[in-house]
Amino acid sequence: MARTHKRRLTALMPRTVAAGRRMIWRQQKWKEKFADLSSDGGGGRIKLRGRGLIFSGHHQLLFSFAYLSISSNWFLEKTAFFEAPKAAKQLEKAEAAIIDGIRLGVLPDVVTYNTLITGYCQFVGFDAGYSVIHRMKEAGITPDVVTYNSLMAGATRQHSLPHCLDMLEEMLNMGIIPDVWSYNTLMHCFFKLGKPDEAYRVFHDILLKNISPCQATYNIMINGFCKNGYIHNALMLFRNLQRHGYIPEIVTYNILLNSLCNSRMWKDMMRLFEELRESGHNPNAITYTTIMKCCFRCKRFKEGLEIFMEMKRKGYAYDLFSYCTVVGALLKSGRRQDTNNCIAHMIKIGYELDMASYNTLINWHCKEGKLETAYNLLNVAEERGEDCDKYTHTILINGLCKAGDIDVAQRHLNHMKLMGFDSLVAFNCFINALCKVGHLDYALQVFHSTDTKDSFTYSSLVHNLCKAKRYRLAAKLLLSCIRDGMRTLKADQRAVLKGLSLTGSKWDAKKFKQKCE
DNA sequence: ATAGGGTTAG
């Protein structure tokens, strides 16, 4: 194997001095071409990853590449930090560079095209990625397992199970034998679409086919269980694996920590965090962000901020995720000065903001009552090519509600629904605003006209009905909330109970209390 | 290639 590789390299080496010069000239030419692709931003972040350096700029693609030292073969390795609308154009440029390379005698290989497919799948879409296959074949290169695995990952990214299965079938038809990663990706796809049973069947398939599962296989299973609400199964699998000598990775811990946090199992989470520290792993930025989020959720602000400081000390905090978490928590707790300071730091670091960070900032402006500034910032985000999402709409609707622009809020809410965004949170904001301005009956009318409600919807109405001394209706709503298996606030229960007994219906109060338990 | 951020009631 090593020998054939060496022979290939020698074959590519220049035979004469003149040939050598020509080759250097060609490489120079190609490098210039490459420089043209990645020059116009100069963000200057350099990361070491895989085989080569990744240069990241602000607005443009970022490529990592490696030269096989003597040979003129090259790889485009990984594209990252694309800006979505520019991505297609940049990928076309990259493909043009490949064609140029062929003309200059620098031949692409299957890795080159696999990289391109990954890029198209990630930044444009599955179809764009799949279309590369034809051009790849035209260039005389046969797809391999990695090609199809990349396409399966692309299909999974856009929640397309049919495409994912198609790729597996096409792979089999071509006589390519799927590997662990093909099955890992298929499993991930099933889990993502909320089909844990099918995913589990894929795992059995892996074992039946005598393929040995890798760490990622188990991580995907644990994550899939967690995300589908089977956290106890995930924990059981985790413990079972440990008993069999499996040493969990930091990723495994992060998956479990996050879902323990989301299911409010704080104590178990802290215990697992201790275990992580004892295991000799170093917590990474993701671990810290998760733990921080947990602290903020239990209202332990001081502890959360201490973790943020620890992150900063270790050099992890130069990360938009952690800043958004902290700013979000500070905003919620109403610490204006701290929020402003934190945002100033975040801006100073100068990272390219993504939609989540813009949303954080837009929410900040809304909370400050500067709706106009919020809308201006939204324009900036859109000009930079970010698409607003359900969070953006919800934040703006909430901002409009809080500013008293109920009519505009309602129009925006309808607009949001028409665009196909999930709007329950925005709906809750709207209901709450209607109650606050005294349109309780209209709020109830809107409430009854829809099927999707959650504990927030009920809580707003119950709270405001109590304030209006309409205890019987409040009790009725609270009970139907409990009947549907939703969480209720203790404060709401107390308010209803107190109201019922104060208004003289002791019997109602007693019955209500019984039903609550 | 598997893990983290941003929206609502009190």
Side-chain angles (χ1 to χ4, degrees), chain A residues 251-305:
Chain A
V251 179
T252 326
Y253 280 109
N254 287 346
I255 292 168
L256 284 169
L257 285 172
N258 185 46
S259 51
L260 284 172
C261 173
N262 287 338
S263 10
R264 306 168 159 269
M265 296 162 71
W266 323 116
K267 275 187 189 150
D268 295 278
M269 191 190 117
M270 286 328 259
R271 224 174 291 143
L272 193 68
F273 186 46
E274 276 308 308
E275 194 183 315
L276 163 65
R277 292 215 156 158
E278 284 162 13
S279 74
H281 280 299
N282 264 331
N284 62 16
I286 295 178
T287 325
Y288 280 122
T289 314
T290 310
I291 304 287
M292 214 159 67
K293 181 181 78 182
C294 174
C295 289
F296 291 140
R297 281 209 187 164
C298 339
K299 313 263 177 208
R300 281 149 42 182
F301 282 99
K302 223 178 135 205
E303 236 169 286
L305 289 174

Coordinates of all heavy atoms in Angstrom, one line a residue, chain A residues 251-305:
Chain A
V251 N -18.3 14.4 24.3 CA -19.5 14.6 23.6 C -20.7 13.9 24.3 O -21.8 14.4 24.5 CB -19.4 14.0 22.2 CG1 -20.7 14.2 21.4 CG2 -18.3 14.7 21.4
T252 N -20.4 12.6 24.7 CA -21.4 11.8 25.4 C -21.9 12.6 26.7 O -23.1 12.7 26.9 CB -20.8 10.5 25.8 OG1 -19.9 10.0 24.8 CG2 -21.9 9.4 26.0
Y253 N -20.9 13.0 27.4 CA -21.3 13.8 28.7 C -22.1 15.0 28.3 O -23.1 15.3 28.9 CB -20.0 14.2 29.4 CG -19.4 13.1 30.2 CD1 -18.2 12.6 29.9 CD2 -20.0 12.7 31.4 CE1 -17.6 11.5 30.6 CE2 -19.5 11.7 32.2 CZ -18.3 11.1 31.8 OH -17.7 10.1 32.5
N254 N -21.7 15.7 27.3 CA -22.4 17.0 26.9 C -23.9 16.7 26.5 O -24.8 17.4 26.9 CB -21.7 17.7 25.8 CG -20.4 18.3 26.2 OD1 -20.2 18.5 27.4 ND2 -19.6 18.7 25.3
I255 N -24.1 15.6 25.8 CA -25.4 15.2 25.3 C -26.3 15.0 26.6 O -27.4 15.5 26.7 CB -25.4 13.9 24.5 CG1 -24.7 14.2 23.1 CG2 -26.8 13.3 24.3 CD1 -24.4 12.9 22.4
L256 N -25.8 14.2 27.5 CA -26.6 13.8 28.7 C -26.8 15.0 29.6 O -27.9 15.2 30.1 CB -25.9 12.7 29.5 CG -26.0 11.3 28.8 CD1 -25.1 10.3 29.5 CD2 -27.5 10.9 28.9
L257 N -25.7 15.8 29.8 CA -25.9 17.0 30.6 C -27.0 17.9 30.1 O -27.8 18.4 30.8 CB -24.6 17.8 30.7 CG -23.4 17.2 31.5 CD1 -22.1 17.9 31.3 CD2 -23.8 17.2 33.0
N258 N -27.0 18.1 28.8 CA -28.0 19.0 28.2 C -29.4 18.5 28.4 O -30.3 19.3 28.7 CB -27.7 19.2 26.7 CG -28.6 20.2 26.1 OD1 -28.8 21.3 26.6 ND2 -29.1 19.9 24.9
S259 N -29.6 17.2 28.2 CA -31.0 16.8 28.3 C -31.4 16.6 29.8 O -32.6 16.8 30.0 CB -31.2 15.5 27.5 OG -30.3 14.5 27.8
L260 N -30.4 16.4 30.7 CA -30.8 16.4 32.1 C -31.2 17.8 32.5 O -32.2 18.0 33.2 CB -29.6 16.0 32.9 CG -29.3 14.5 32.9 CD1 -28.0 14.2 33.7 CD2 -30.4 13.7 33.6
C261 N -30.5 18.8 31.9 CA -30.9 20.2 32.2 C -32.3 20.5 31.7 O -33.1 21.1 32.3 CB -29.9 21.1 31.6 SG -30.3 22.8 31.6
N262 N -32.6 20.1 30.4 CA -33.9 20.3 29.8 C -35.0 19.6 30.5 O -36.1 20.1 30.5 CB -33.9 19.9 28.3 CG -33.1 20.9 27.5 OD1 -32.8 22.0 27.9 ND2 -32.6 20.4 26.3
S263 N -34.7 18.4 31.1 CA -35.8 17.8 31.8 C -35.8 18.1 33.3 O -36.4 17.4 34.1 CB -35.8 16.3 31.6 OG -34.6 15.8 31.0
R264 N -35.1 19.2 33.6 CA -35.1 19.7 35.0 C -34.6 18.8 36.0 O -35.0 18.8 37.2 CB -36.5 20.2 35.4 CG -37.1 21.1 34.4 CD -38.6 21.3 34.6 NE -39.0 22.6 34.0 CZ -39.0 23.8 34.6 NH1 -38.6 23.8 35.8 NH2 -39.3 24.9 33.9
M265 N -33.7 17.9 35.6 CA -33.1 17.0 36.6 C -31.8 17.5 37.0 O -30.7 17.0 36.8 CB -33.0 15.6 36.0 CG -34.3 14.9 35.6 SD -34.2 13.6 34.4 CE -33.5 12.3 35.4
W266 N -31.9 18.7 37.7 CA -30.7 19.5 38.1 C -29.7 18.6 38.9 O -28.5 18.7 38.6 CB -31.0 20.7 38.9 CG -32.3 21.4 38.5 CD1 -33.3 21.6 39.3 CD2 -32.6 22.1 37.3 NE1 -34.3 22.3 38.6 CE2 -33.9 22.7 37.4 CE3 -31.9 22.3 36.1 CZ2 -34.5 23.4 36.4 CZ3 -32.5 23.0 35.1 CH2 -33.8 23.6 35.2
K267 N -30.2 17.9 39.9 CA -29.3 17.2 40.8 C -28.6 16.1 40.0 O -27.3 16.0 40.2 CB -30.1 16.5 41.9 CG -30.4 17.5 43.0 CD -31.0 16.8 44.2 CE -31.4 17.9 45.2 NZ -32.6 17.5 46.0
D268 N -29.3 15.4 39.2 CA -28.6 14.3 38.4 C -27.5 15.0 37.5 O -26.5 14.4 37.3 CB -29.6 13.6 37.6 CG -30.5 12.8 38.4 OD1 -30.2 11.7 38.8 OD2 -31.7 13.3 38.6
M269 N -27.9 16.2 37.0 CA -27.0 16.8 36.2 C -25.7 17.2 36.9 O -24.6 17.0 36.4 CB -27.6 18.1 35.6 CG -26.8 18.6 34.5 SD -27.4 20.2 34.0 CE -26.0 21.1 34.4
M270 N -25.8 17.8 38.1 CA -24.6 18.2 38.8 C -23.8 17.0 39.2 O -22.5 17.1 39.1 CB -25.0 19.0 40.1 CG -25.5 20.4 39.8 SD -24.7 21.2 38.4 CE -23.5 22.3 39.1
R271 N -24.5 15.9 39.5 CA -23.7 14.7 39.8 C -22.9 14.2 38.6 O -21.7 13.8 38.7 CB -24.7 13.6 40.2 CG -24.2 12.8 41.5 CD -25.3 11.8 42.0 NE -26.4 12.5 42.5 CZ -27.7 12.1 42.3 NH1 -27.9 11.0 41.7 NH2 -28.7 12.8 42.9
L272 N -23.5 14.3 37.4 CA -22.8 13.8 36.2 C -21.7 14.8 35.9 O -20.6 14.4 35.4 CB -23.8 13.8 35.0 CG -23.3 13.1 33.8 CD1 -23.1 11.6 34.0 CD2 -24.2 13.3 32.6
F273 N -21.9 16.1 36.2 CA -20.8 17.0 35.9 C -19.6 16.7 36.8 O -18.5 16.8 36.4 CB -21.3 18.4 36.2 CG -20.4 19.5 35.9 CD1 -19.7 19.5 34.6 CD2 -20.1 20.6 36.7 CE1 -18.8 20.5 34.3 CE2 -19.2 21.6 36.4 CZ -18.6 21.6 35.2
E274 N -19.9 16.3 38.1 CA -18.8 15.9 39.0 C -18.1 14.7 38.4 O -16.8 14.7 38.4 CB -19.4 15.6 40.4 CG -19.6 16.8 41.3 CD -18.4 17.6 41.4 OE1 -17.3 17.1 41.7 OE2 -18.4 18.9 41.1
E275 N -18.9 13.8 37.9 CA -18.3 12.6 37.3 C -17.4 12.9 36.2 O -16.3 12.3 36.0 CB -19.4 11.7 36.9 CG -19.0 10.2 36.6 CD -20.2 9.4 36.1 OE1 -21.3 9.5 36.7 OE2 -20.0 8.7 35.1
L276 N -17.8 13.9 35.4 CA -17.0 14.3 34.2 C -15.7 14.9 34.7 O -14.7 14.6 34.1 CB -17.8 15.4 33.4 CG -17.1 16.2 32.4 CD1 -16.5 15.4 31.3 CD2 -18.0 17.3 31.9
R277 N -15.7 15.7 35.7 CA -14.5 16.3 36.2 C -13.6 15.2 36.7 O -12.3 15.3 36.5 CB -14.8 17.3 37.4 CG -15.5 18.5 36.8 CD -15.1 19.7 37.6 NE -15.3 20.9 36.7 CZ -15.5 22.1 37.2 NH1 -15.4 22.4 38.5 NH2 -15.7 23.1 36.4
E278 N -14.2 14.2 37.4 CA -13.3 13.1 38.0 C -12.8 12.2 36.9 O -11.7 11.6 37.1 CB -14.1 12.3 39.0 CG -14.3 13.0 40.3 CD -15.5 12.4 41.1 OE1 -15.9 11.3 40.8 OE2 -15.9 13.0 42.1
S279 N -13.5 12.2 35.8 CA -13.1 11.2 34.7 C -11.8 11.7 34.0 O -11.2 10.9 33.2 CB -14.2 11.1 33.7 OG -14.2 12.3 32.9
G280 N -11.3 12.9 34.3 CA -10.1 13.3 33.6 C -10.3 14.1 32.3 O -9.4 14.6 31.8
H281 N -11.6 14.1 31.9 CA -11.9 14.9 30.7 C -11.8 16.4 31.1 O -12.2 16.7 32.2 CB -13.3 14.6 30.2 CG -13.4 13.4 29.4 ND1 -12.7 13.2 28.2 CD2 -14.1 12.3 29.5 CE1 -13.0 12.0 27.7 NE2 -13.8 11.4 28.5
N282 N -11.5 17.2 30.1 CA -11.6 18.7 30.3 C -12.9 19.1 29.8 O -13.2 18.9 28.7 CB -10.4 19.4 29.6 CG -9.3 19.7 30.5 OD1 -9.5 19.8 31.8 ND2 -8.1 19.7 30.0
P283 N -13.7 19.8 30.6 CA -14.9 20.3 30.1 C -14.6 21.3 29.0 O -13.6 22.1 29.1 CB -15.5 21.1 31.3 CG -14.8 20.7 32.5 CD -13.5 20.2 32.0
N284 N -15.4 21.3 27.9 CA -15.1 22.3 26.8 C -16.2 23.4 26.8 O -17.0 23.4 27.7 CB -15.0 21.5 25.5 CG -16.3 20.8 25.1 OD1 -17.4 21.1 25.6 ND2 -16.2 19.9 24.1
A285 N -16.1 24.2 25.8 CA -17.0 25.4 25.8 C -18.5 24.9 25.8 O -19.3 25.6 26.4 CB -16.7 26.2 24.5
I286 N -18.7 23.8 25.1 CA -20.1 23.3 25.1 C -20.6 22.9 26.5 O -21.7 23.2 26.9 CB -20.3 22.2 24.1 CG1 -19.9 22.7 22.7 CG2 -21.6 21.5 24.1 CD1 -20.0 21.7 21.6
T287 N -19.7 22.2 27.2 CA -20.1 21.8 28.5 C -20.4 23.0 29.4 O -21.4 23.0 30.1 CB -18.9 21.0 29.2 OG1 -18.2 20.3 28.2 CG2 -19.3 20.1 30.3
Y288 N -19.5 24.0 29.3 CA -19.7 25.2 30.2 C -21.0 25.9 29.8 O -21.7 26.3 30.7 CB -18.5 26.1 30.0 CG -17.3 25.7 30.8 CD1 -16.1 25.5 30.2 CD2 -17.4 25.5 32.2 CE1 -15.0 25.1 31.0 CE2 -16.3 25.2 33.0 CZ -15.1 24.9 32.4 OH -14.0 24.6 33.1
T289 N -21.2 26.0 28.5 CA -22.5 26.7 28.1 C -23.7 26.0 28.7 O -24.6 26.6 29.2 CB -22.6 26.8 26.6 OG1 -21.3 27.2 26.1 CG2 -23.6 27.8 26.2
T290 N -23.6 24.7 28.6 CA -24.8 23.9 29.1 C -25.0 24.1 30.6 O -26.1 24.3 31.1 CB -24.5 22.4 28.8 OG1 -24.2 22.3 27.4 CG2 -25.7 21.6 29.1
I291 N -23.9 24.0 31.4 CA -24.0 24.1 32.8 C -24.5 25.5 33.2 O -25.3 25.7 34.1 CB -22.6 23.9 33.5 CG1 -22.1 22.5 33.1 CG2 -22.7 24.0 35.0 CD1 -22.7 21.3 33.7
M292 N -24.0 26.5 32.4 CA -24.3 27.9 32.7 C -25.8 28.1 32.5 O -26.5 28.7 33.3 CB -23.6 28.7 31.7 CG -23.2 30.1 32.2 SD -21.8 30.7 31.2 CE -22.6 30.9 29.6
K293 N -26.3 27.5 31.4 CA -27.8 27.6 31.1 C -28.6 27.0 32.2 O -29.6 27.6 32.6 CB -28.0 26.8 29.8 CG -29.5 26.9 29.3 CD -29.7 26.1 28.1 CE -29.8 24.6 28.3 NZ -30.0 23.8 27.1
C294 N -28.1 25.9 32.7 CA -28.8 25.2 33.9 C -28.8 26.2 35.1 O -29.9 26.3 35.7 CB -28.0 23.9 34.2 SG -28.7 23.1 35.6
C295 N -27.7 26.8 35.4 CA -27.7 27.7 36.6 C -28.7 28.8 36.4 O -29.4 29.1 37.3 CB -26.3 28.3 36.7 SG -25.0 27.1 37.3
F296 N -28.7 29.4 35.2 CA -29.6 30.5 35.0 C -31.1 30.1 35.1 O -31.9 30.8 35.6 CB -29.4 31.1 33.6 CG -28.1 31.9 33.5 CD1 -27.2 31.8 32.4 CD2 -27.6 32.6 34.6 CE1 -26.0 32.5 32.3 CE2 -26.4 33.3 34.5 CZ -25.6 33.2 33.4
R297 N -31.3 28.8 34.6 CA -32.7 28.3 34.7 C -33.2 28.1 36.1 O -34.3 28.3 36.4 CB -32.8 27.0 33.9 CG -32.9 27.2 32.5 CD -33.7 26.1 31.9 NE -33.6 26.2 30.4 CZ -34.0 25.3 29.6 NH1 -34.4 24.1 30.1 NH2 -33.9 25.5 28.3
C298 N -32.2 27.8 37.0 CA -32.6 27.6 38.4 C -32.4 28.9 39.2 O -32.4 28.9 40.4 CB -31.9 26.5 39.2 SG -31.1 25.3 38.3
K299 N -32.2 30.0 38.4 CA -32.1 31.3 39.0 C -30.9 31.5 39.9 O -30.8 32.3 40.8 CB -33.3 31.6 39.9 CG -34.7 31.3 39.3 CD -35.3 32.6 38.7 CE -36.6 32.2 38.0 NZ -36.9 33.1 36.9
R300 N -29.9 30.7 39.6 CA -28.6 30.8 40.3 C -27.6 31.7 39.5 O -26.7 31.1 38.9 CB -28.0 29.5 40.7 CG -28.7 28.9 41.9 CD -28.9 27.4 41.9 NE -27.7 26.6 41.6 CZ -27.7 25.3 41.5 NH1 -28.8 24.6 41.9 NH2 -26.6 24.6 41.2
F301 N -28.0 33.0 39.4 CA -27.2 33.8 38.5 C -25.8 33.9 38.9 O -24.9 33.9 38.0 CB -27.9 35.2 38.5 CG -29.1 35.3 37.7 CD1 -30.3 35.2 38.3 CD2 -29.0 35.4 36.4 CE1 -31.5 35.2 37.6 CE2 -30.2 35.4 35.6 CZ -31.4 35.3 36.2
K302 N -25.5 34.1 40.2 CA -24.1 34.3 40.6 C -23.3 33.1 40.2 O -22.2 33.3 39.6 CB -24.1 34.4 42.1 CG -23.2 35.5 42.6 CD -23.2 35.7 44.1 CE -21.7 35.9 44.5 NZ -21.5 35.5 45.9
E303 N -23.8 31.9 40.4 CA -23.1 30.7 40.0 C -22.8 30.6 38.5 O -21.7 30.3 38.1 CB -23.9 29.5 40.4 CG -23.1 28.5 41.4 CD -24.1 27.5 41.9 OE1 -24.9 27.9 42.8 OE2 -24.1 26.4 41.4
G304 N -23.9 31.0 37.8 CA -23.8 31.0 36.3 C -22.7 31.9 35.9 O -21.9 31.6 35.0
L305 N -22.7 33.1 36.4 CA -21.7 34.1 36.0 C -20.3 33.7 36.4 O -19.3 34.0 35.7 CB -22.0 35.5 36.6 CG -23.3 36.1 36.0 CD1 -23.6 37.4 36.8 CD2 -23.1 36.5 34.6

